[in-house]
Amino acid sequence: LGLAAGARVIQQEITRPPPEVKEALRLQEEEQVIRIVRLRLADDQIMALETAFLPCRLFPALIEMDLNDRSLFQVLEDELNASIAYAVDTVELSTAGPYEAAELQSQEGMPIVLNTRIVFSADDRPLAFIRTIHRGDRFRAVVRCSRKDLEALK
């Protein structure tokens, strides 16, 4: 679309994961994660609120890295030697609560698109749990399907 993409870090911390994240990342009882909350931008306009959780044991250096206006995947692969093979996305429609509305500079009750992505290595090890909340008024998805994908739908 010709828009300049950007990301602004709101929070970057080591914390205990919520139960859903702990299960998705297959973490041990006391394991901690790095939680990164960023606003995703297009031409400096807020498009989405992204919260990423990554196991501390896999990426301890990530807590000190500047992730403003950088691709998290690029940082993981180029600087932290992660080997990302695939991701599983779940997409849902919802409405913004008070927190989402405030961060997205929108109104409570506004339609949002909630994307939950679990990123895996080639050996099926979960590397990241990322939840992105997109403003419904600024969201469009384009999906490319191969012939093989279309056949699988039959």
Side-chain angles (χ1 to χ4, degrees):
L1 294 173
L3 303 176
R8 185 180 326 131
V9 175
I10 298 173
Q11 194 171 37
Q12 194 165 337
E13 65 179 352
I14 295 176
T15 187
R16 297 180 65 94
E20 179 184 16
V21 172
K22 181 180 166 187
E23 181 181 338
L25 294 179
R26 301 180 203 149
L27 300 174
Q28 299 299 316
E29 191 61 37
E30 298 301 316
E31 266 192 276
Q32 293 187 310
V33 292
I34 298 168
R35 179 177 173 262
I36 303 161
V37 181
R38 304 191 301 171
L39 290 175
R40 302 307 309 257
L41 312 169
D43 283 349
D44 292 322
Q45 288 193 19
I46 297 171
M47 304 298 280
L49 175 66
E50 174 188 85
T51 305
F53 298 89
L54 300 99
C56 285
R57 70 177 150 72
L58 296 181
F59 309 110
L62 190 59
I63 191 64
E64 301 295 330
M65 299 179 111
D66 179 3
L67 298 172
N68 286 295
D69 293 325
R70 298 181 74 194
S71 162
L72 179 60
F73 292 153
Q74 195 103 45
V75 169
L76 292 176
E77 290 183 323
D78 294 349
E79 297 181 37
L80 300 175
N81 300 316
S83 180
I84 297 170
Y86 67 97
V88 176
D89 283 12
T90 303
V91 180
E92 305 170 68
L93 302 179
S94 189
T95 55
Y99 170 72
E100 295 86 3
E103 294 296 340
L104 294 170
Q105 296 179 2
S106 64
Q107 296 178 349
E108 194 172 336
M110 182 184 90
I112 58 172
V113 178
L114 174 62
N115 185 81
T116 303
R117 171 174 287 170
I118 304 171
V119 180
F120 293 88
S121 64
D123 62 354
D124 294 323
R125 179 177 53 166
L127 302 175
F129 179 102
I130 303 168
R131 174 154 292 144
T132 306
I133 300 167
H134 300 269
R135 287 180 57 127
D137 62 339
R138 296 181 182 165
F139 178 83
R140 181 175 71 155
V142 177
V143 179
R144 178 180 180 215
C145 296
S146 69
R147 177 84 168 119
K148 182 180 174 182
D149 294 333
L150 294 172
E151 287 297 320
L153 296 175
K154 287 186 179 181

PDB file of all heavy atoms in Angstrom, residues 46-75:
ATOM      1  N   ILE A  46      -1.441   4.733  14.352  1.00  0.00           N
ATOM      2  CA  ILE A  46      -1.564   3.466  15.077  1.00  0.00           C
ATOM      3  C   ILE A  46      -2.508   2.536  14.331  1.00  0.00           C
ATOM      4  O   ILE A  46      -3.652   2.893  14.047  1.00  0.00           O
ATOM      5  CB  ILE A  46      -2.066   3.702  16.510  1.00  0.00           C
ATOM      6  CG1 ILE A  46      -1.050   4.553  17.286  1.00  0.00           C
ATOM      7  CG2 ILE A  46      -2.332   2.373  17.208  1.00  0.00           C
ATOM      8  CD1 ILE A  46      -1.546   5.028  18.629  1.00  0.00           C
ATOM      9  N   MET A  47      -1.993   1.362  14.018  1.00  0.00           N
ATOM     10  CA  MET A  47      -2.772   0.350  13.312  1.00  0.00           C
ATOM     11  C   MET A  47      -3.126  -0.833  14.217  1.00  0.00           C
ATOM     12  O   MET A  47      -4.181  -1.438  14.064  1.00  0.00           O
ATOM     13  CB  MET A  47      -1.983  -0.180  12.118  1.00  0.00           C
ATOM     14  CG  MET A  47      -1.541   0.891  11.143  1.00  0.00           C
ATOM     15  SD  MET A  47      -2.901   1.763  10.373  1.00  0.00           S
ATOM     16  CE  MET A  47      -3.372   0.600   9.122  1.00  0.00           C
ATOM     17  N   ALA A  48      -2.206  -1.167  15.142  1.00  0.00           N
ATOM     18  CA  ALA A  48      -2.406  -2.363  15.943  1.00  0.00           C
ATOM     19  C   ALA A  48      -1.599  -2.286  17.238  1.00  0.00           C
ATOM     20  O   ALA A  48      -0.628  -1.534  17.339  1.00  0.00           O
ATOM     21  CB  ALA A  48      -1.998  -3.605  15.152  1.00  0.00           C
ATOM     22  N   LEU A  49      -2.015  -3.084  18.198  1.00  0.00           N
ATOM     23  CA  LEU A  49      -1.328  -3.264  19.468  1.00  0.00           C
ATOM     24  C   LEU A  49      -0.827  -4.702  19.495  1.00  0.00           C
ATOM     25  O   LEU A  49      -1.619  -5.637  19.387  1.00  0.00           O
ATOM     26  CB  LEU A  49      -2.293  -3.007  20.631  1.00  0.00           C
ATOM     27  CG  LEU A  49      -1.787  -3.269  22.034  1.00  0.00           C
ATOM     28  CD1 LEU A  49      -0.670  -2.286  22.388  1.00  0.00           C
ATOM     29  CD2 LEU A  49      -2.942  -3.155  23.035  1.00  0.00           C
ATOM     30  N   GLU A  50       0.484  -4.872  19.604  1.00  0.00           N
ATOM     31  CA  GLU A  50       1.105  -6.202  19.541  1.00  0.00           C
ATOM     32  C   GLU A  50       1.746  -6.544  20.887  1.00  0.00           C
ATOM     33  O   GLU A  50       2.505  -5.747  21.428  1.00  0.00           O
ATOM     34  CB  GLU A  50       2.167  -6.198  18.450  1.00  0.00           C
ATOM     35  CG  GLU A  50       2.995  -7.461  18.357  1.00  0.00           C
ATOM     36  CD  GLU A  50       4.131  -7.284  17.375  1.00  0.00           C
ATOM     37  OE1 GLU A  50       5.190  -6.773  17.784  1.00  0.00           O
ATOM     38  OE2 GLU A  50       3.945  -7.637  16.201  1.00  0.00           O
ATOM     39  N   THR A  51       1.422  -7.722  21.400  1.00  0.00           N
ATOM     40  CA  THR A  51       2.051  -8.211  22.623  1.00  0.00           C
ATOM     41  C   THR A  51       2.702  -9.553  22.309  1.00  0.00           C
ATOM     42  O   THR A  51       2.019 -10.501  21.925  1.00  0.00           O
ATOM     43  CB  THR A  51       1.018  -8.376  23.760  1.00  0.00           C
ATOM     44  OG1 THR A  51       0.336  -7.138  23.952  1.00  0.00           O
ATOM     45  CG2 THR A  51       1.698  -8.793  25.054  1.00  0.00           C
ATOM     46  N   ALA A  52       4.021  -9.604  22.459  1.00  0.00           N
ATOM     47  CA  ALA A  52       4.781 -10.823  22.160  1.00  0.00           C
ATOM     48  C   ALA A  52       5.357 -11.392  23.450  1.00  0.00           C
ATOM     49  O   ALA A  52       5.820 -10.643  24.311  1.00  0.00           O
ATOM     50  CB  ALA A  52       5.904 -10.516  21.175  1.00  0.00           C
ATOM     51  N   PHE A  53       5.313 -12.705  23.565  1.00  0.00           N
ATOM     52  CA  PHE A  53       5.896 -13.428  24.695  1.00  0.00           C
ATOM     53  C   PHE A  53       6.910 -14.415  24.136  1.00  0.00           C
ATOM     54  O   PHE A  53       6.580 -15.211  23.256  1.00  0.00           O
ATOM     55  CB  PHE A  53       4.823 -14.208  25.454  1.00  0.00           C
ATOM     56  CG  PHE A  53       3.749 -13.366  26.075  1.00  0.00           C
ATOM     57  CD1 PHE A  53       2.608 -13.032  25.360  1.00  0.00           C
ATOM     58  CD2 PHE A  53       3.858 -12.929  27.386  1.00  0.00           C
ATOM     59  CE1 PHE A  53       1.596 -12.266  25.936  1.00  0.00           C
ATOM     60  CE2 PHE A  53       2.855 -12.171  27.973  1.00  0.00           C
ATOM     61  CZ  PHE A  53       1.713 -11.834  27.240  1.00  0.00           C
ATOM     62  N   LEU A  54       8.145 -14.360  24.654  1.00  0.00           N
ATOM     63  CA  LEU A  54       9.197 -15.269  24.212  1.00  0.00           C
ATOM     64  C   LEU A  54       9.900 -15.850  25.428  1.00  0.00           C
ATOM     65  O   LEU A  54      10.158 -15.122  26.400  1.00  0.00           O
ATOM     66  CB  LEU A  54      10.208 -14.533  23.336  1.00  0.00           C
ATOM     67  CG  LEU A  54       9.604 -13.913  22.072  1.00  0.00           C
ATOM     68  CD1 LEU A  54       9.330 -12.449  22.267  1.00  0.00           C
ATOM     69  CD2 LEU A  54      10.486 -14.157  20.890  1.00  0.00           C
ATOM     70  N   PRO A  55      10.225 -17.146  25.411  1.00  0.00           N
ATOM     71  CA  PRO A  55      10.897 -17.750  26.565  1.00  0.00           C
ATOM     72  C   PRO A  55      12.259 -17.103  26.841  1.00  0.00           C
ATOM     73  O   PRO A  55      13.075 -16.957  25.922  1.00  0.00           O
ATOM     74  CB  PRO A  55      11.090 -19.216  26.137  1.00  0.00           C
ATOM     75  CG  PRO A  55      10.093 -19.433  25.046  1.00  0.00           C
ATOM     76  CD  PRO A  55       9.957 -18.117  24.347  1.00  0.00           C
ATOM     77  N   CYS A  56      12.488 -16.720  28.093  1.00  0.00           N
ATOM     78  CA  CYS A  56      13.777 -16.118  28.486  1.00  0.00           C
ATOM     79  C   CYS A  56      14.942 -17.049  28.197  1.00  0.00           C
ATOM     80  O   CYS A  56      16.004 -16.606  27.779  1.00  0.00           O
ATOM     81  CB  CYS A  56      13.774 -15.773  29.978  1.00  0.00           C
ATOM     82  SG  CYS A  56      12.815 -14.331  30.378  1.00  0.00           S
ATOM     83  N   ARG A  57      14.745 -18.343  28.423  1.00  0.00           N
ATOM     84  CA  ARG A  57      15.842 -19.293  28.253  1.00  0.00           C
ATOM     85  C   ARG A  57      16.318 -19.374  26.807  1.00  0.00           C
ATOM     86  O   ARG A  57      17.470 -19.662  26.544  1.00  0.00           O
ATOM     87  CB  ARG A  57      15.461 -20.679  28.766  1.00  0.00           C
ATOM     88  CG  ARG A  57      14.436 -21.385  27.940  1.00  0.00           C
ATOM     89  CD  ARG A  57      14.132 -22.795  28.420  1.00  0.00           C
ATOM     90  NE  ARG A  57      12.771 -23.186  28.124  1.00  0.00           N
ATOM     91  CZ  ARG A  57      12.325 -23.473  26.900  1.00  0.00           C
ATOM     92  NH1 ARG A  57      13.127 -23.413  25.867  1.00  0.00           N
ATOM     93  NH2 ARG A  57      11.068 -23.818  26.714  1.00  0.00           N
ATOM     94  N   LEU A  58      15.440 -19.072  25.855  1.00  0.00           N
ATOM     95  CA  LEU A  58      15.824 -19.123  24.441  1.00  0.00           C
ATOM     96  C   LEU A  58      16.449 -17.813  23.957  1.00  0.00           C
ATOM     97  O   LEU A  58      17.331 -17.826  23.101  1.00  0.00           O
ATOM     98  CB  LEU A  58      14.603 -19.443  23.562  1.00  0.00           C
ATOM     99  CG  LEU A  58      13.945 -20.800  23.754  1.00  0.00           C
ATOM    100  CD1 LEU A  58      12.770 -20.949  22.798  1.00  0.00           C
ATOM    101  CD2 LEU A  58      14.948 -21.928  23.547  1.00  0.00           C
ATOM    102  N   PHE A  59      15.966 -16.684  24.487  1.00  0.00           N
ATOM    103  CA  PHE A  59      16.398 -15.389  23.966  1.00  0.00           C
ATOM    104  C   PHE A  59      16.722 -14.398  25.085  1.00  0.00           C
ATOM    105  O   PHE A  59      16.139 -13.317  25.152  1.00  0.00           O
ATOM    106  CB  PHE A  59      15.305 -14.801  23.064  1.00  0.00           C
ATOM    107  CG  PHE A  59      14.825 -15.750  22.003  1.00  0.00           C
ATOM    108  CD1 PHE A  59      13.554 -16.302  22.073  1.00  0.00           C
ATOM    109  CD2 PHE A  59      15.642 -16.095  20.946  1.00  0.00           C
ATOM    110  CE1 PHE A  59      13.112 -17.188  21.094  1.00  0.00           C
ATOM    111  CE2 PHE A  59      15.208 -16.973  19.957  1.00  0.00           C
ATOM    112  CZ  PHE A  59      13.930 -17.520  20.035  1.00  0.00           C
ATOM    113  N   PRO A  60      17.656 -14.726  25.979  1.00  0.00           N
ATOM    114  CA  PRO A  60      17.926 -13.835  27.115  1.00  0.00           C
ATOM    115  C   PRO A  60      18.398 -12.438  26.715  1.00  0.00           C
ATOM    116  O   PRO A  60      18.099 -11.460  27.398  1.00  0.00           O
ATOM    117  CB  PRO A  60      19.001 -14.578  27.907  1.00  0.00           C
ATOM    118  CG  PRO A  60      19.615 -15.536  26.949  1.00  0.00           C
ATOM    119  CD  PRO A  60      18.530 -15.895  25.976  1.00  0.00           C
ATOM    120  N   ALA A  61      19.094 -12.310  25.593  1.00  0.00           N
ATOM    121  CA  ALA A  61      19.617 -11.001  25.164  1.00  0.00           C
ATOM    122  C   ALA A  61      18.510 -10.074  24.656  1.00  0.00           C
ATOM    123  O   ALA A  61      18.698  -8.860  24.573  1.00  0.00           O
ATOM    124  CB  ALA A  61      20.675 -11.184  24.081  1.00  0.00           C
ATOM    125  N   LEU A  62      17.354 -10.631  24.343  1.00  0.00           N
ATOM    126  CA  LEU A  62      16.265  -9.847  23.766  1.00  0.00           C
ATOM    127  C   LEU A  62      15.782  -8.739  24.696  1.00  0.00           C
ATOM    128  O   LEU A  62      15.368  -7.671  24.229  1.00  0.00           O
ATOM    129  CB  LEU A  62      15.096 -10.771  23.408  1.00  0.00           C
ATOM    130  CG  LEU A  62      13.961 -10.189  22.583  1.00  0.00           C
ATOM    131  CD1 LEU A  62      14.464  -9.675  21.245  1.00  0.00           C
ATOM    132  CD2 LEU A  62      12.893 -11.243  22.372  1.00  0.00           C
ATOM    133  N   ILE A  63      15.889  -8.943  25.986  1.00  0.00           N
ATOM    134  CA  ILE A  63      15.397  -7.953  26.947  1.00  0.00           C
ATOM    135  C   ILE A  63      16.137  -6.626  26.821  1.00  0.00           C
ATOM    136  O   ILE A  63      15.578  -5.561  27.098  1.00  0.00           O
ATOM    137  CB  ILE A  63      15.452  -8.497  28.406  1.00  0.00           C
ATOM    138  CG1 ILE A  63      14.682  -7.575  29.353  1.00  0.00           C
ATOM    139  CG2 ILE A  63      16.873  -8.690  28.876  1.00  0.00           C
ATOM    140  CD1 ILE A  63      13.209  -7.476  29.092  1.00  0.00           C
ATOM    141  N   GLU A  64      17.384  -6.642  26.371  1.00  0.00           N
ATOM    142  CA  GLU A  64      18.198  -5.420  26.272  1.00  0.00           C
ATOM    143  C   GLU A  64      18.160  -4.781  24.878  1.00  0.00           C
ATOM    144  O   GLU A  64      18.725  -3.716  24.676  1.00  0.00           O
ATOM    145  CB  GLU A  64      19.656  -5.737  26.616  1.00  0.00           C
ATOM    146  CG  GLU A  64      19.851  -6.306  28.009  1.00  0.00           C
ATOM    147  CD  GLU A  64      19.481  -5.316  29.112  1.00  0.00           C
ATOM    148  OE1 GLU A  64      19.613  -4.099  28.891  1.00  0.00           O
ATOM    149  OE2 GLU A  64      19.049  -5.774  30.173  1.00  0.00           O
ATOM    150  N   MET A  65      17.498  -5.420  23.913  1.00  0.00           N
ATOM    151  CA  MET A  65      17.556  -4.942  22.539  1.00  0.00           C
ATOM    152  C   MET A  65      16.505  -3.869  22.264  1.00  0.00           C
ATOM    153  O   MET A  65      15.400  -3.918  22.786  1.00  0.00           O
ATOM    154  CB  MET A  65      17.378  -6.115  21.579  1.00  0.00           C
ATOM    155  CG  MET A  65      18.461  -7.165  21.738  1.00  0.00           C
ATOM    156  SD  MET A  65      18.218  -8.526  20.618  1.00  0.00           S
ATOM    157  CE  MET A  65      19.609  -8.254  19.560  1.00  0.00           C
ATOM    158  N   ASP A  66      16.876  -2.933  21.414  1.00  0.00           N
ATOM    159  CA  ASP A  66      15.953  -1.885  20.978  1.00  0.00           C
ATOM    160  C   ASP A  66      15.112  -2.445  19.833  1.00  0.00           C
ATOM    161  O   ASP A  66      15.637  -2.758  18.767  1.00  0.00           O
ATOM    162  CB  ASP A  66      16.738  -0.662  20.514  1.00  0.00           C
ATOM    163  CG  ASP A  66      15.852   0.469  20.026  1.00  0.00           C
ATOM    164  OD1 ASP A  66      14.603   0.345  20.087  1.00  0.00           O
ATOM    165  OD2 ASP A  66      16.400   1.483  19.573  1.00  0.00           O
ATOM    166  N   LEU A  67      13.814  -2.568  20.064  1.00  0.00           N
ATOM    167  CA  LEU A  67      12.916  -3.147  19.065  1.00  0.00           C
ATOM    168  C   LEU A  67      12.001  -2.105  18.430  1.00  0.00           C
ATOM    169  O   LEU A  67      11.037  -2.454  17.754  1.00  0.00           O
ATOM    170  CB  LEU A  67      12.100  -4.275  19.700  1.00  0.00           C
ATOM    171  CG  LEU A  67      12.942  -5.433  20.224  1.00  0.00           C
ATOM    172  CD1 LEU A  67      12.091  -6.412  21.011  1.00  0.00           C
ATOM    173  CD2 LEU A  67      13.660  -6.139  19.084  1.00  0.00           C
ATOM    174  N   ASN A  68      12.309  -0.840  18.631  1.00  0.00           N
ATOM    175  CA  ASN A  68      11.548   0.212  17.959  1.00  0.00           C
ATOM    176  C   ASN A  68      11.848   0.165  16.469  1.00  0.00           C
ATOM    177  O   ASN A  68      13.008   0.059  16.058  1.00  0.00           O
ATOM    178  CB  ASN A  68      11.931   1.592  18.515  1.00  0.00           C
ATOM    179  CG  ASN A  68      11.360   1.826  19.886  1.00  0.00           C
ATOM    180  OD1 ASN A  68      10.142   1.892  20.060  1.00  0.00           O
ATOM    181  ND2 ASN A  68      12.235   1.932  20.874  1.00  0.00           N
ATOM    182  N   ASP A  69      10.790   0.204  15.667  1.00  0.00           N
ATOM    183  CA  ASP A  69      10.906   0.223  14.205  1.00  0.00           C
ATOM    184  C   ASP A  69      11.743  -0.919  13.642  1.00  0.00           C
ATOM    185  O   ASP A  69      12.428  -0.764  12.628  1.00  0.00           O
ATOM    186  CB  ASP A  69      11.462   1.570  13.724  1.00  0.00           C
ATOM    187  CG  ASP A  69      10.497   2.704  13.986  1.00  0.00           C
ATOM    188  OD1 ASP A  69       9.274   2.474  13.899  1.00  0.00           O
ATOM    189  OD2 ASP A  69      10.957   3.811  14.304  1.00  0.00           O
ATOM    190  N   ARG A  70      11.682  -2.080  14.312  1.00  0.00           N
ATOM    191  CA  ARG A  70      12.416  -3.257  13.840  1.00  0.00           C
ATOM    192  C   ARG A  70      11.482  -4.448  13.761  1.00  0.00           C
ATOM    193  O   ARG A  70      10.551  -4.572  14.549  1.00  0.00           O
ATOM    194  CB  ARG A  70      13.575  -3.583  14.788  1.00  0.00           C
ATOM    195  CG  ARG A  70      14.600  -2.454  14.857  1.00  0.00           C
ATOM    196  CD  ARG A  70      15.738  -2.782  15.754  1.00  0.00           C
ATOM    197  NE  ARG A  70      16.610  -3.757  15.112  1.00  0.00           N
ATOM    198  CZ  ARG A  70      17.550  -4.435  15.755  1.00  0.00           C
ATOM    199  NH1 ARG A  70      17.738  -4.258  17.057  1.00  0.00           N
ATOM    200  NH2 ARG A  70      18.315  -5.285  15.119  1.00  0.00           N
ATOM    201  N   SER A  71      11.768  -5.346  12.840  1.00  0.00           N
ATOM    202  CA  SER A  71      11.020  -6.592  12.725  1.00  0.00           C
ATOM    203  C   SER A  71      11.498  -7.553  13.806  1.00  0.00           C
ATOM    204  O   SER A  71      12.689  -7.864  13.884  1.00  0.00           O
ATOM    205  CB  SER A  71      11.254  -7.216  11.345  1.00  0.00           C
ATOM    206  OG  SER A  71      10.896  -8.586  11.357  1.00  0.00           O
ATOM    207  N   LEU A  72      10.581  -8.019  14.629  1.00  0.00           N
ATOM    208  CA  LEU A  72      10.945  -8.973  15.671  1.00  0.00           C
ATOM    209  C   LEU A  72      11.516 -10.250  15.056  1.00  0.00           C
ATOM    210  O   LEU A  72      12.523 -10.789  15.526  1.00  0.00           O
ATOM    211  CB  LEU A  72       9.728  -9.299  16.547  1.00  0.00           C
ATOM    212  CG  LEU A  72       9.950 -10.307  17.660  1.00  0.00           C
ATOM    213  CD1 LEU A  72      11.027  -9.840  18.645  1.00  0.00           C
ATOM    214  CD2 LEU A  72       8.636 -10.578  18.398  1.00  0.00           C
ATOM    215  N   PHE A  73      10.910 -10.727  13.982  1.00  0.00           N
ATOM    216  CA  PHE A  73      11.398 -11.949  13.335  1.00  0.00           C
ATOM    217  C   PHE A  73      12.808 -11.754  12.790  1.00  0.00           C
ATOM    218  O   PHE A  73      13.651 -12.641  12.892  1.00  0.00           O
ATOM    219  CB  PHE A  73      10.461 -12.402  12.208  1.00  0.00           C
ATOM    220  CG  PHE A  73       9.125 -12.880  12.701  1.00  0.00           C
ATOM    221  CD1 PHE A  73       8.015 -12.794  11.892  1.00  0.00           C
ATOM    222  CD2 PHE A  73       8.958 -13.407  13.968  1.00  0.00           C
ATOM    223  CE1 PHE A  73       6.780 -13.234  12.329  1.00  0.00           C
ATOM    224  CE2 PHE A  73       7.726 -13.847  14.413  1.00  0.00           C
ATOM    225  CZ  PHE A  73       6.632 -13.759  13.586  1.00  0.00           C
ATOM    226  N   GLN A  74      13.060 -10.601  12.214  1.00  0.00           N
ATOM    227  CA  GLN A  74      14.399 -10.311  11.682  1.00  0.00           C
ATOM    228  C   GLN A  74      15.440 -10.320  12.804  1.00  0.00           C
ATOM    229  O   GLN A  74      16.527 -10.867  12.658  1.00  0.00           O
ATOM    230  CB  GLN A  74      14.400  -8.944  10.987  1.00  0.00           C
ATOM    231  CG  GLN A  74      15.603  -8.730  10.126  1.00  0.00           C
ATOM    232  CD  GLN A  74      15.252  -8.911   8.680  1.00  0.00           C
ATOM    233  OE1 GLN A  74      14.241  -8.406   8.236  1.00  0.00           O
ATOM    234  NE2 GLN A  74      16.063  -9.637   7.961  1.00  0.00           N
ATOM    235  N   VAL A  75      15.098  -9.710  13.922  1.00  0.00           N
ATOM    236  CA  VAL A  75      16.003  -9.687  15.082  1.00  0.00           C
ATOM    237  C   VAL A  75      16.249 -11.109  15.576  1.00  0.00           C
ATOM    238  O   VAL A  75      17.394 -11.496  15.849  1.00  0.00           O
ATOM    239  CB  VAL A  75      15.436  -8.805  16.211  1.00  0.00           C
ATOM    240  CG1 VAL A  75      16.219  -8.990  17.505  1.00  0.00           C
ATOM    241  CG2 VAL A  75      15.432  -7.340  15.795  1.00  0.00           C
TER     242      VAL A  75
END
